[in-house]
Amino acid sequence: MKTIVIALGGNALLQRGEVLSADNQYKNIELMSETINKLAKEYRVVLVHGNGPQVGLLALQNLAYQDVPAYPLDILVAESQGMIGYMMMQKINQNHPEQAITTVMTRVSVDINDEAFNDPSKFIGPIYDEADKDELMAKYQWTFKQDGKHYRRVVPSPTPKKIIDIDAVRLLLDKGHIVICGGGGGIPVNNSNNEFIGSEAVIDKDLTAALISRELNAEHFVILTEADAIYKNWGTPEQAAIREATPEELAPMAVADGAMGPKIMAVSDFVNATGQQAHIGALQNIQQVIEGQSGTLIYKS
């Protein structure tokens, strides 16, 4: 069977502005659960999810209890892998309990000297207005950047170098499991004297998903997000969806902007490295995106 890797954005699982509740996340996960089960009959399915809203929530909860020192981001990413993975397993198995599905706690190696540690760019947590942003900056020394009309906290997002637990993913796929892995971009660790040390960062899940796709020799790589396609002239009266493009055509948009840029970087890396096709589209259109009837198709020229 062919392998398909599907990357689900944290904001696809929790829509922008929604309350960060379990009920809302279950509702959004349910939108894609039946399609995932159908795909599992034709493909070896790997799911990689984002965790931007969720790890930001955990960070806020982490600070609420002052009697214990705050846990570092690598542990919060691990917590989000367990939380979101469990919720996805519950919904996917709801009507198909016979389908084997497993969440793999996934460590991802990063370079401690990555320039990203000096220039935080990864959005996490909820949106804030300017007054709240200023208060949190003063209180916690957080870094913020503008996200649309609002502000969100940003943290370092180093480039993923190696999927440490990829062999476990392969073994489970061989046994017919749907595998949830690389959650939140993976738990960021760096290799110090042959010991893996957690890093204070959140890796971009799309870049990790692309790396997982390459290491598994996947035939298909799909990124699902809140946007229904890649757009040119986004946010202007001339904006228009791009339905098909090559990595070369998309290169000017492949920038580390914390939004669509990393997704374009990820699909371009995959297409250039493998010659296979990739897709970007909306979660609610998952079946049409995979079939090339919606979203943006990226192909090698």
Side-chain angles (χ1 to χ4, degrees), residues 119-225:
D119 182 22
S121 63
K122 175 66 176 173
F123 290 118
I124 67 169
I127 57 176
Y128 297 97
D129 60 27
E130 189 161 7
D132 289 336
K133 178 260 295 185
D134 291 342
E135 180 182 343
L136 290 165
M137 285 179 66
K139 187 174 183 179
Y140 298 123
Q141 289 75 55
W142 286 351
T143 302
F144 284 84
K145 288 186 178 179
Q146 199 157 357
D147 185 11
K149 297 179 181 179
H150 302 276
Y151 294 89
R152 292 178 71 192
R153 182 187 175 192
V154 288
V155 298
S157 184
T159 301
K161 297 295 185 182
K162 181 180 179 182
I163 311 300
I164 295 168
D165 303 294
I166 196 68
D167 285 344
V169 176
R170 291 194 185 97
L171 287 170
L172 289 163
L173 288 173
D174 289 343
K175 294 295 184 180
H177 289 235
I178 294 172
V179 180
I180 302 167
C181 64
I187 304 165
V189 298
N190 65 86
N191 193 332
S192 176
N193 297 320
N194 294 320
E195 180 182 1
F196 293 120
I197 307 297
S199 293
E200 189 73 0
V202 176
I203 305 169
D204 185 272
K205 70 97 181 38
D206 297 310
L207 297 180
T208 293
L211 182 56
I212 289 171
S213 300
R214 296 198 302 273
E215 293 201 9
L216 293 176
N217 297 315
E219 287 81 8
H220 301 279
F221 176 36
V222 182
I223 296 179
L224 298 174
T225 183

Side-chain angles (χ1 to χ4, degrees), residues 243-257:
R243 293 305 174 192
E244 293 187 3
T246 65
E248 291 76 19
E249 291 168 338
L250 295 174
M253 304 169 69
V255 294
D257 59 3

Side-chain angles (χ1 to χ4, degrees), residues 8-9 11-15 28-29 31-32 223-228 281-287 289:
L8 299 156
N11 285 318
L13 299 176
L14 191 69
Q15 298 299 312
N28 289 313
I29 292 168
L31 289 174
M32 56 87 179
I223 296 179
L224 298 174
T225 183
E226 58 187 345
D228 64 344
L283 175 63
Q284 64 268 25
N285 301 330
I286 178 173
Q287 189 67 51
V289 171

